[in-house]
Amino acid sequence: MTEESKPDIKRSKGKFDPLTETRDWSAAASEERCRRLAKRKGKRLVEIIDTEDEPLPIICIFEDYPDE
């Protein structure tokens, strides 16, 4: 699947406050690493935040898959 076919992932830029974030999250070096983390965790990637902070500029936000 290409990035264009995944419109449900919200993308944003800016600061990230780990103390106020209640959802499951991880820092990563790239968006591709976020997708790999989501797959490994068995969760759905719902948001990618580009903080532009080194060495891990990307924050990945995860949610559980809805019960089907």
Side-chain angles (χ1 to χ4, degrees), residues 1-63:
M1 248 188 244
T2 64
E3 278 187 44
E4 296 80 37
S5 64
K6 297 181 181 183
D8 58 332
I9 298 174
K10 179 182 173 187
R11 286 179 170 69
S12 50
K13 287 189 175 199
K15 293 293 179 188
F16 173 72
D17 185 0
L19 299 177
T20 60
E21 182 58 62
T22 59
R23 299 172 290 181
D24 185 14
W25 65 272
S26 291
S30 68
E31 290 188 20
E32 179 58 34
R33 191 61 80 180
C34 283
R35 289 184 195 88
R36 290 180 185 178
L37 285 167
K39 187 175 181 180
R40 188 177 306 143
K41 288 178 171 237
K43 296 196 175 209
R44 184 169 64 105
L45 179 61
V46 294
E47 186 174 357
I48 295 173
I49 303 170
D50 185 357
T51 64
E52 299 179 352
D53 293 336
E54 293 298 328
L56 299 173
I58 306 294
I59 302 296
C60 320
I61 308 290
F62 308 103
E63 288 182 355

